[in-house]
Amino acid sequence: MYDIRGLNEECGVFGIWNHPYAAHLTYLALHSLQHRGQEGAGIVCSNGKQLFGARGMGLLTEAISDEQLKSLEGYQSAIGHVRYATTGASEISNVQPFLFKHSKGDLGLAHNGNLTNAHQIRRAIESEGGIFQTTSDSEVLAHLLIKGKAKSIKANQKAALNQVKGAFSCVILNEQQLTATRDNCGVRPLMLGKVDGAYCVASETCAFTAIGAEYIRDIEPGELITFSGDNDVDYDTYTPDIHQHMCAMEYIYFARPDSEFQKHSIYQVRKALGRQLAKEMGVEADIVIGVPDSSLQAAKGFSEETGIPNEQGLLKNRYIGRTFITPDQSVRERQVRMKHSPIRDVIEGKSVVVIDDSIVRGTTSKYIVKALKSAGAREVHMGISSPPLKNPCYYGIDVSTHAELMAAQHSVETIRDMIGADTLTYLSVEGMHDVFKQYGSKGECNACFTGNYPIEIVDHLLPEVKEMKRRGV
Ligand code: AMP
């Protein structure tokens, strides 16, 4: 059955136009975007006459074999995708890029983000006889792109993009051109680069570093950039209605620390979040430690601000996947235990400040506090380098229902008690915003903290979707 929860995706996209090693560079770039999705990966290439693709389930190295990559040699343009779906719909048909064969020509599409009216459009297309092969919202966009009646590809793209609502950073490939576009609120990142004279685009600049590309700039909200010919570029927008709402969680947790947004390092942003938290927390302790890997920079910033020594108090087992994607809570708890191990010699007898970037269900914090105490910590003060996560994200981050969110259900004091910490401090929304602004942000989406959703949520308010959610479909 069609699963509305299956729409909830975080992903990484890449595209490159007119490079002799297009597929190989895409493969390398996807490697460095792997943190954005581990469920499936794919590449679609063009030789100027036809599109070809390879995709599979799992990590990139499992998803695309050496033989498959070899079969894509010699094509000049390519798009690629790594996928991270949360629940349901974990099947090969949903792995992108999608490749459609149509009388108008071939179409390849890779999308990061969530469309908030995909269900509504899908029902309308189905009622006219349209059929879908996947449960993904991205296929809805492909339908709209192909349905267009205008003569020019760009006019059809603009018409399609103006019908969808939500968050999308997309790469679209056909025989004549590569298009990169970002939704008009700029929720998900998309960057423009150049390598050996060829243009490329990526979700994060760490992909450019991996392939030796120059990071030119961030693609702006509502921008529609088309690469064609040898190296022709057309810069346009698909709408005049532009807003700035970059996802706050991209800064806090999701992006790699060696990536940059608006030419500012994520590493420095996270350190500054830690400094700001230190100002707001005002606690005395012997050491400060970060939960590896995502909170190491915030802990460093905290230490610089307070003068409390920064130690490595927790060791991460690098060979375990993300705990978050495990569907069952009891398995998730065991995984967290295997994932982070306290270093007794560092912890014993100390008053410890431990920094994590967020509390979602509370599984990690509960275990970490317990582990630190059993390693002999005298006191454990938990600092969270983001505000309480109280609201689901409809724009592509894996936080889907109020029921799953500890801070949606409980007060800070109750959470402190539940996780067993001596104190618990979250960063304020204002403090967070000040840091982002200082590091070049033009505006954020902070809906998961504040409930202020910048883009209309159509599907989740439809009675039939509410009913599907109620039944847990
Ligand atoms: P939990 O154990 O459910 O409270 O999740 C909190 C942990 O998950 C933190 O250590 C975060 O680093 C991490 N985290 C936060 N947001 C996400 C997300 N959207 N996807 C995966 N992991 C996350």
Side-chain angles (χ1 to χ4, degrees), residues 396-422:
I397 285 275
D398 176 14
V399 176
S400 51
T401 66
H402 279 101
E404 285 174 351
L405 296 170
M406 208 176 196
Q409 307 292 332
H410 306 286
S411 68
V412 175
E413 176 51 21
T414 309
I415 297 173
R416 183 205 60 73
D417 191 45
M418 289 167 82
I419 66 174
D422 293 281

Side-chain angles (χ1 to χ4, degrees), residues 120-132:
Q120 192 182 50
I121 298 175
R122 185 186 183 104
R123 287 289 181 258
I125 294 174
E126 283 175 344
S127 71
E128 292 166 3
I131 50 172
F132 287 81

Side-chain angles (χ1 to χ4, degrees), residues 17-19 22 44-53 71-78 101 106 173-177:
W17 181 256
N18 197 24
H19 192 289
V44 163
C45 294
S46 167
N47 62 2
K49 297 187 196 81
Q50 242 181 310
L51 265 52
F52 303 86
S71 76
L72 300 176
E73 256 173 30
Y75 301 122
Q76 299 80 27
S77 304
K101 299 280 171 180
D106 294 354
L173 186 68
N174 64 30
E175 297 88 339
Q176 301 96 46
Q177 63 185 57

Side-chain angles (χ1 to χ4, degrees), residues 129-206:
I131 50 172
F132 287 81
Q133 284 189 1
T134 76
T135 58
S136 162
D137 54 343
S138 316
E139 195 182 359
V140 168
L141 179 57
H143 266 264
L144 296 178
L145 288 166
I146 285 172
K147 265 164 77 89
K149 299 266 186 296
K151 282 215 175 73
S152 85
I153 296 173
K154 189 157 97 171
N156 285 326
Q157 287 177 340
K158 284 190 178 182
L161 294 168
N162 275 296
Q163 286 177 68
V164 292
K165 292 189 168 63
F168 52 87
S169 284
C170 287
V171 283
I172 306 164
L173 186 68
N174 64 30
E175 297 88 339
Q176 301 96 46
Q177 63 185 57
L178 167 68
T179 303
T181 188
R182 198 168 168 212
D183 68 74
N184 69 334
C185 289
V187 177
R188 300 274 147 248
L190 195 61
M191 308 292 159
L192 177 64
K194 210 168 188 185
V195 54
D196 307 329
Y199 284 100
C200 53
V201 298
S203 295
E204 287 182 40
T205 61
C206 61

Side-chain angles (χ1 to χ4, degrees), residues 2-23:
Y2 173 55
D3 180 355
I4 188 81
R5 295 181 306 163
L7 300 183
N8 221 359
E9 292 178 19
E10 314 160 50
C11 303
V13 298
F14 181 80
I16 184 160
W17 181 256
N18 197 24
H19 192 289
Y21 301 115

